[in-house]
Amino acid sequence: MSRQAPSQPAPRGRPRDPRTRAAILAAARALLERGGLTSVTIEAIAQKAEVSRPTIYRYWPNAPAVAMAAFLETTGAAEAAKSPRTPLAALRAQLHALADAFAAPAGRSVAAMVAAAQSETELAKAFRNEFIARNRDATRALLERCIADKAIAPPEDMELSLDLIFGPLFYRLLMGHAPITRGFVDQLLAAVIPARD
Amino acid sequence: MSRQAPSQPAPRGRPRDPRTRAAILAAARALLERGGLTSVTIEAIAQKAEVSRPTIYRYWPNAPAVAMAAFLETTGAAEAAKSPRTPLAALRAQLHALADAFAAPAGRSVAAMVAAAQSETELAKAFRNEFIARNRDATRALLERCIADKAIAPPEDMELSLDLIFGPLFYRLLMGHAPITRGFVDQLLAAVIPARD
DNA sequence: TTAACGTTACGATACGTAACGTAATATAAC
DNA sequence: GTTATATTACGTTACGTATCGTAACGTTAA
């Protein structure tokens, strides 16, 4: 009996050691948080991961791609805390979490990925789809729950509201002209989300 | 009669040829707009400007510094159009000009400089002081004139208002998830600047 | 047999600097 | 005023280094 449409084409030969991939990503992530994107070189990753350089190239085409993979692996969209009862509180908790991440060393990684995305189209696409879009989706969902609950007045333009919330956060992260605090998030929300009228 | 405190200590030796500096900056600017920051190498600048590499190093310490100098030379703060009579119209014109710049090839330069600032402290400082701060100052001044004229209600936090205006613009520039149009600016203003009550 | 991985090696690009010669300008000496 | 001299700008050439991306080949695990 022969399989006519195998969903998994049966991998042949020696399988990839999962520790290899993990070691590369872990090394890239560590380098990224410490020294920023410029310190994430194939050479440095290879040494830190105790893997040969050609092996890294067998997984990813260049250093920024490894950095992006490492970044996306560890940093998902900020998840809404489950505990808050009201969607408004959940929204606030979600953005507080994002602000915390931006203020922490992880914020440097985010900034580095934004920077990397400016010069590499592929990275930009991945970053938009896997990070930007996910964060917007998560926040949009909570906003709509707030609207459904009549906790806030429905905004005229939902996408504009998202730009008004995320824009200033990224702006401060990248320009560094002012700190990113939970209080700042609260200010943003107060300004952007019209309280229930 | 001897000058006791000469304001210009009389430069000695061969003066710098102004065309050298101009050629370097022009070349850097062209490279920056086309290929982004990674294409702005000392090597490429030297060839395009028809200047030797050591000469470039005599002016600036590294390639990103040249790029920043070229950027700041050509892209100042958006100036308020003189024609509009009311400060509110001037504010709108100023931000329209910024949006136009962000949407044009010059926008790529701005994005490239933001990216560069993430990995080079010196550049970050220059960029904050010479570009970010200047734009904020210009807009803040117009906002205050609007307030003085009672054209708009005074915002609770002026700096927050500036973040709400500039943040989304940079956010769209850097993420590229939506276009930067004059209509977007108008939407921003409507949302952020409470109309006269 | 097939593919993963290491080792070694190679050419290419860009870096930043040094050394040296020449050109252009100021100041001082005559 | 003309001439010497110091000083600086710029080009040319060269050097050593870092990192890149790839190729070749052997070894190991399925």
Side-chain angles (χ1 to χ4, degrees):
Chain A
M1 204 157 56
S2 65
R3 296 192 190 142
Q4 303 209 344
S7 56
Q8 303 170 48
R12 322 228 316 185
R14 175 179 176 177
R16 286 187 163 176
D17 187 338
R19 290 175 303 174
T20 299
R21 177 189 159 91
I24 294 173
L25 291 182
R29 182 176 189 277
L31 289 167
L32 185 62
E33 287 192 354
R34 286 169 207 255
L37 190 65
T38 59
S39 72
V40 185
T41 69
I42 297 292
E43 179 65 38
I45 298 172
Q47 286 183 14
K48 201 174 188 67
E50 292 181 326
V51 159
S52 72
R53 287 192 295 125
T55 289
I56 299 177
Y57 284 110
R58 286 168 187 134
Y59 281 76
W60 293 277
N62 49 49
V66 184
M68 183 65 80
F71 171 76
L72 293 178
E73 181 124 317
T74 58
T75 313
E79 298 181 5
K82 299 297 181 187
S83 41
R85 287 244 162 45
T86 73
L88 193 57
L91 173 67
R92 187 160 168 264
Q94 182 193 54
L95 293 175
H96 278 179
L98 189 65
D100 291 347
F102 276 21
R108 302 310 309 162
S109 296
V110 178
M113 289 301 101
V114 175
Q118 301 311 311
S119 48
E120 308 235 10
T121 312
E122 285 305 306
L123 293 193
K125 203 188 308 179
F127 187 71
R128 258 201 312 270
N129 294 340
E130 306 295 327
F131 187 74
I132 300 299
R134 283 189 200 285
N135 273 301
R136 288 176 75 93
D137 290 347
T139 298
R140 188 186 300 106
L142 282 181
L143 274 173
E144 282 168 351
R145 285 190 51 201
C146 290
I147 296 168
D149 284 16
K150 298 190 195 306
I152 64 175
E156 296 200 5
D157 186 329
M158 175 63 84
E159 300 312 307
L160 176 67
S161 294
L162 292 173
D163 286 346
L164 282 167
I165 291 172
F166 287 113
L169 286 170
F170 278 93
Y171 181 52
R172 284 201 174 183
L173 172 69
L174 295 164
M175 309 305 169
H177 62 286
I180 300 173
T181 64
R182 294 188 167 196
F184 180 56
V185 166
D186 292 340
Q187 276 189 303
L188 277 180
L189 285 176
V192 174
I193 309 297
R196 172 180 48 188
D197 55 358
Chain B
M1 202 156 60
S2 65
R3 296 193 189 137
Q4 302 208 346
S7 55
Q8 305 170 52
R12 323 227 319 185
R14 174 180 176 176
R16 287 187 163 177
D17 188 338
R19 290 175 304 174
T20 299
R21 175 190 161 93
I24 294 173
L25 291 182
R29 182 175 189 275
L31 289 167
L32 185 63
E33 288 190 354
R34 286 171 208 256
L37 190 67
T38 59
S39 72
V40 185
T41 69
I42 297 292
E43 178 65 37
I45 298 172
Q47 287 184 12
K48 201 174 188 68
E50 292 181 325
V51 160
S52 72
R53 287 193 294 126
T55 290
I56 300 178
Y57 284 110
R58 285 170 188 132
Y59 280 77
W60 294 277
N62 51 46
V66 184
M68 180 63 79
F71 170 76
L72 293 178
E73 181 121 317
T74 59
T75 313
E79 297 181 5
K82 298 295 179 186
S83 42
R85 288 245 162 45
T86 73
L88 194 56
L91 173 67
R92 186 159 167 263
Q94 182 192 56
L95 293 175
H96 278 177
L98 189 66
D100 291 347
F102 275 22
R108 302 310 310 159
S109 297
V110 178
M113 286 301 101
V114 175
Q118 301 312 310
S119 48
E120 308 239 8
T121 312
E122 284 306 306
L123 292 195
K125 204 189 309 178
F127 187 71
R128 259 202 311 271
N129 294 340
E130 305 296 329
F131 187 74
I132 300 299
R134 282 189 199 285
N135 274 301
R136 289 176 74 93
D137 290 348
T139 297
R140 189 187 300 106
L142 282 181
L143 275 173
E144 282 168 351
R145 285 191 51 201
C146 290
I147 296 169
D149 284 16
K150 298 190 195 306
I152 64 175
E156 295 200 7
D157 186 328
M158 175 63 84
E159 300 311 307
L160 176 67
S161 295
L162 293 174
D163 286 346
L164 282 167
I165 292 171
F166 287 114
L169 286 170
F170 279 93
Y171 182 52
R172 285 201 173 183
L173 173 68
L174 295 165
M175 308 304 169
H177 63 286
I180 300 173
T181 64
R182 294 189 167 195
F184 179 56
V185 166
D186 292 339
Q187 275 190 302
L188 277 180
L189 285 176
V192 175
I193 309 296
R196 172 179 48 188
D197 54 357

